[in-house]
Amino acid sequence: MSQHPQDPIQLAEEIRAALESPDAEKKLGDLLREIRSEDIAVVLDDLSPRQKRKVFSVIETEAQAEVIDDTDATSQEQIIDHLDSELLREILEEMPPDEATDLLNELPQNRRREVLAGMDPETTVELLRLMQHPPESAGGIMTLDYISTEADSTAGMSLQRVQSQIDSEVVNYVYVIDEKRHLKGVVSIRDLLGSNPDIKIENLMNTEVISVLVNSDQEEVANLVRRYGLKAIPVVDDDQHLLGVATIDDIVQVISEEADEDFYRIAGSPEGHPSQQKILKRAMVRIPWLLLPVISGFILAWLHPVDEASSIRQILESAADRRLLLAAFIPLVMGIAGGVGTQSATLVVRGMAVGDIEIGRSTLRLFRQEVIIGLLIALSIGLVIGSVILVFDGIQTGEINLLFPVAVTAGIGIGILLASAFGTAIPILCGKMGLDPALVAGPFITSFNDVTAAITFMLVTEFILNNA
Amino acid sequence: MSQHPQDPIQLAEEIRAALESPDAEKKLGDLLREIRSEDIAVVLDDLSPRQKRKVFSVIETEAQAEVIDDTDATSQEQIIDHLDSELLREILEEMPPDEATDLLNELPQNRRREVLAGMDPETTVELLRLMQHPPESAGGIMTLDYISTEADSTAGMSLQRVQSQIDSEVVNYVYVIDEKRHLKGVVSIRDLLGSNPDIKIENLMNTEVISVLVNSDQEEVANLVRRYGLKAIPVVDDDQHLLGVATIDDIVQVISEEADEDFYRIAGSPEGHPSQQKILKRAMVRIPWLLLPVISGFILAWLHPVDEASSIRQILESAADRRLLLAAFIPLVMGIAGGVGTQSATLVVRGMAVGDIEIGRSTLRLFRQEVIIGLLIALSIGLVIGSVILVFDGIQTGEINLLFPVAVTAGIGIGILLASAFGTAIPILCGKMGLDPALVAGPFITSFNDVTAAITFMLVTEFILNNA
């Protein structure tokens, strides 16, 4: 294995080359043995479902557990659906219990039952106990794999207990409980190592333990860890019974996830990890949010001073009146273009910040994807707007005039497409030039898109109306 | 101390009560002994500079070091400016070296020299060495306080070394180096405890260490830690010499800080931790970003079909022409209102997510502050817009007409004020109702503000023009 992490794009190419070679099985095995399972997890995203399963089948069970745990939802699904229950069970047994629980929660109920049925009873009980807690609560991220001791034990005895449970997930702290499992204190491994082995735990333990209730939101857990610089936090019930321990490595994931979630929600595109979702799905989650600027845009168009006595057909006959009518739609165009551009830009900025998007060949792929998504959004939102105009005008005049709605739809559609392209391209270009993409992603792109979309809209619509 | 963290608002009240009691010194001392230094650090923000210094003077040096490290920049400055160099030196010696370095970097040069002069030479060398690295690089966040061993040492000897350096910042890993300090491998404390004491380190160590170059950005360090689930990462130079270790608790701060930074930049309000800055400064950093929608708004106003032959005075004489002229400014109003609202909303959402803003009495204070900031922004941006219109019209007609610029300034100013108030209030109300504020902070608030600001602008401006 290399000391520095590998470039996922280059890795994907090497894997594809190995897959196509005559002795694929051996080549692939040799290659994958050299690669960390975290890197394999990332690379899967770049492979076809068949290739994913091939790669997965070549690696050892332990690595399989890590890959399944770390990879994106789509790859996870594609692999698990084709896995026989026996292997899936082995993989689940390899995973830390808190993560095995998350995976079990994703399975269809009968599959879950089948997998659990073959497991040893102890693990089954542990997993079922963890599955009671919502995945985003303290109970959902805690592990049961910690070490406890009693107040009247000694430092030496407790250290021996650590040594006998050395594979436990939490070894840095030993939690002190009474006979009813009430949390009484905590001793760090540092204290155990640095003390006389005969000293009593009750004289060594810190009784001022910060703990968290099992049903607290994971965000609260993260905030406590951050505020108090903790490396692990015990999870208790209302009666202070120790139920488990949330560790900092899980909490690092939580902090990132919660920040991602807020980012995408503020941008109006709650997509999860964007580049790891299917394109159609990515367009679908963004469209509902864009109906908000459509609604406000129509309100503003309706408030705009237009000669209300005339029908659209009459208005269109005078060039000046026509420009005025089109101007009434500029707030709508601006709102949509700003919304689409912010969505695209935020996804790029956040993806680059957390390393999901690397500046390189994969940005071109991202740009292509965003343009396709922009096109899908442009078509849907354009059609919505065109239909509304058609119906309004139809009700007013009793006639169906297609020209104006079609022209407006085209103008807004092309504006949306450009906004999406600029929203993606500008932060990528900034990143390539070594500037912080977040600095341009907000007001700059919004203002830029406002102007370009409005001008595009006027030009395209006037062109169609003049030439029809 | 309590097991659960304390409510900072209640804490601040208790501290104020103690400060005003007859035997303030004793009362305060008794109270503060019961409070974690991390909580004192948070509470300082709610106190006056004099109160801050009083609280600070009562606690012990060790707690002082923690409070200084954790508190906001303003409180830090207010306390340090009044500290004598002897005490400041003691505090710095108590702090972890990577954090002492950050604090030293904040001091004026002659103060820094004075403080360093009195320190013991070993610490001075250590701090000066750390100060060579930019604060946001791997070198800037690493600690020198780790434990190293040699490949031909044994598990038992290495464990003894851990026990003799038990106060070291990193005790979970022991780094294996050669005689020239090249990084050769890593052994976890778990491996040391779980092995035969006579086993050689070279047979125990993991040679596939992920390390990071000293000049890498802290964001890259955070991404490696997150991707590979590490608890610490060794920092090396180009020749693989071990220079220090970045630990996960510092990296948790980095992950939050980088997310904060991107959040605020995308919102066009790079304020750092918002509620901890002075109001005037908070308004000042936001205004430049709002000039972008002003520029795009003027471009769109200029594109808007208006009877160009007439001067503003002539246009204003006809009610229909006047409405048309005002309509040309709606894109400008929308752009500004959207920008201001997004700034306010993002600050609230992020502050609530990371626990800087708690739903309670402090949200009222936040709302008041945001309204004042909104007023400052409204005044500045309103004046900019008014002046531009005045000058443009002046050049065109050779006269100075105050009425129209004043009316537009008032209309836009009130629109901005409302946008800022709604941008703050809507996410707060969502939070109180148990909804995720991030869900409304983006497109919803933007669309809402677009409409309310445009209507407010038309109503206010028309009212002034009609009644002048």
Side-chain angles (χ1 to χ4, degrees), chain A residues 22 26 41 79-80 88 92 109 119 153 168 194 196 225 235 240 274 278-279 306 326 349 351 384 394 458 463:
Chain A
K26 193 189 163 303
I79 291 169
I80 287 180
L88 183 53
L92 283 165
Q109 212 169 10
M119 243 175 225
S153 171
S168 165
N196 180 331
V225 164
V235 180
Q240 282 290 115
K278 292 187 190 113
I279 286 190
V306 183
L326 292 180
V349 168
V384 168
M458 293 298 276
F463 178 82

Side-chain angles (χ1 to χ4, degrees), chain B residues 399-411:
Chain B
E399 291 170 53
I400 291 180
N401 299 306
L402 271 177
L403 179 62
F404 185 69
V406 167
V408 169
T409 299

Side-chain angles (χ1 to χ4, degrees), chain A residues 5 36 39 163 168 172 190 193 208 223 226-228 240 256 265-266 289 304 323 353 436 439 442, chain B residues 3 5 36 39 163 168 172 190 193 208 223 226-228 256 265-266 289 303-304 353 436 439 442:
Chain A
R36 285 174 197 276
D39 290 327
Q163 285 175 307
S168 165
N172 302 313
R190 187 191 294 234
L193 282 171
E208 299 136 7
N223 288 342
R226 186 163 35 197
R227 180 153 161 197
Y228 296 103
Q240 282 290 115
S256 293
R265 284 185 175 176
I266 287 184
W289 293 98
H304 197 275
R323 284 197 66 200
D436 182 351
L439 274 176
Chain B
Q3 293 191 323
R36 284 172 199 276
D39 290 326
Q163 286 176 308
S168 166
N172 303 313
R190 185 190 294 237
L193 281 171
E208 299 137 7
N223 288 342
R226 187 164 32 198
R227 180 154 160 195
Y228 295 103
S256 293
R265 284 184 174 175
I266 287 185
W289 292 99
L303 288 174
H304 198 273
D436 181 351
L439 274 176

Side-chain angles (χ1 to χ4, degrees), chain B residues 82-103:
Chain B
H82 286 73
L83 228 50
D84 77 77
S85 294
E86 184 56 40
L87 182 54
L88 182 54
R89 186 177 314 138
E90 280 170 30
I91 291 173
L92 282 165
E93 283 169 350
E94 279 288 338
M95 290 172 86
D98 48 332
E99 275 139 24
T101 318
D102 292 343
L103 188 57

